[in-house]
């Protein structure tokens, strides 16, 4: 089984991924928790380039192809082998991040990006993608709060984007999920981590995935 978690920066994905990993391990699964960008050896270097706040001159198209390169490598070198070995793969962000951030956020055509993602993943999509839905202003405040007080600068290039950018990202996720109800589910992420986790488990149970 292959599950992905998505949402705006600061929506709580990483916390939920940790809780889900512990949940599935308790239930006897061999879990691989991974993330994009950065889940492969090549991806580790690409993540540093992609999130460097000083890299202000990367063009939207170059950015798109770097995310696709990260994903192509991640799928081929890490995710497919793990699934083939019978492991359960939990991924912090996947192709929908590209459709939403580079498409809805940067203003490129989401359907064209979907096609490029389909090529990059060689047809492998998660069994379910859970979108943690949260007001971008609340999510960004959370992201800022978790940074050490000494680090005044935003963590990555996307955190430094305008609120309007993140509003487009959130709307992008909601639109995409509405068009793809089979493979995506939206979960309200405004509650406590425990409440959000309970909702995720309920959604997985409803779909026969937990
Ligand atoms: P993270 O902070 O959730 O690890 O994500 C890194 C940033 O990269 C986040 O701001 C979203 C962005 N991103 C894209 O713009 N496109 C993508 O395809 C992915 C995977 C992430």
């Amino acid at each position: 089984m292959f599950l992905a978690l998505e949402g705006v920066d600061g929506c709580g994905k990483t916390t939920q991924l940790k809780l889900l990993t512990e949940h599935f391990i308790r239930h006897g699964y061999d879990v691989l928790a991974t993330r994009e960008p950065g889940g492969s050896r090549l991806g580790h270097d690409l993540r540093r380039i992609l999130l460097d706040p000083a890299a202000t001159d990367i063009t939207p198209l170059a950015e798109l192809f770097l995310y696709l390169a990260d994903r192509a490598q991640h799928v081929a070198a890490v995710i497919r082998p793990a699934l083939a070995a019978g492991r359960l793969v939990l991924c912090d962000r996947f192709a929908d991040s590209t459709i939403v951030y580079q498409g809805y956020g940067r203003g490129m055509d989401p359907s064209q990006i979907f096609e490029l993602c389909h090529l990059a993943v060689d047809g492998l999509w998660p069994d379910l993608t859970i979108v943690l839905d949260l007001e971008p202003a609340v999510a960004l405040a959370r992201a800022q709060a978790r940074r050490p007080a000494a680090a005044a600068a935003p963590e990555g290039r996307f955190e430094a984007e305008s609120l309007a950018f993140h509003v487009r990202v959130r709307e992008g996720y909601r639109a995409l999920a509405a068009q793809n109800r089979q493979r995506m589910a939206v979960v309200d992420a405004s509650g406590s981590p425990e409440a959000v986790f309970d909702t995720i488990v309920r959604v997985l149970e409803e779909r026969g995935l937990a």
Side-chain angles (χ1 to χ4, degrees), residues 9 13 35-37 47 51 63 67 71 92-94 97-98 101-102 158:
D9 294 73
K13 276 180 299 90
R35 69 170 176 180
E36 293 195 354
R47 182 178 176 93
L51 301 188
E63 176 184 277
Y67 277 112
R71 181 159 311 118
D92 188 334
R93 294 194 182 282
F94 195 64
S97 279
T98 313
Y101 278 80
Q102 279 62 55
F158 288 89

Side-chain angles (χ1 to χ4, degrees), residues 6-10 13-14 35-37 47 50-51 63-64 67-68 70-71 92-102 106 117 146 155-159 165-166 173:
E6 292 278 1
V8 294
D9 294 73
K13 276 180 299 90
T14 309
R35 69 170 176 180
E36 293 195 354
R47 182 178 176 93
L50 278 163
L51 301 188
E63 176 184 277
L64 168 66
Y67 277 112
L68 293 172
D70 170 73
R71 181 159 311 118
D92 188 334
R93 294 194 182 282
F94 195 64
D96 293 316
S97 279
T98 313
I99 299 172
V100 166
Y101 278 80
Q102 279 62 55
R106 296 274 190 238
C117 285
R146 88 187 158 207
E155 211 169 32
R157 291 188 306 122
F158 288 89
E159 221 187 291
F165 178 91
H166 293 279
Y173 275 124

Side-chain angles (χ1 to χ4, degrees), residues 10 18 23 31 71 83 137 155 157 168 174 196 198 205:
K18 191 167 159 282
H23 170 87
V31 180
R71 181 159 311 118
L83 292 173
E155 211 169 32
R157 291 188 306 122
R168 288 199 298 282
R174 287 156 71 112
V196 175
D198 287 347
E205 282 169 356

Side-chain angles (χ1 to χ4, degrees), residues 124-179:
L124 181 76
W125 288 81
D127 296 292
L128 185 67
T129 296
I130 292 161
V131 177
L132 300 182
D133 183 51
L134 189 61
E135 190 84 50
V138 176
L140 287 175
R142 276 192 194 175
Q144 273 157 19
R146 88 187 158 207
R147 264 203 315 273
E155 211 169 32
R157 291 188 306 122
F158 288 89
E159 221 187 291
E161 284 289 344
S162 66
L163 185 59
F165 178 91
H166 293 279
V167 169
R168 288 199 298 282
V169 167
R170 189 219 194 170
E171 291 311 319
Y173 275 124
R174 287 156 71 112
L176 202 58
Q179 292 156 20

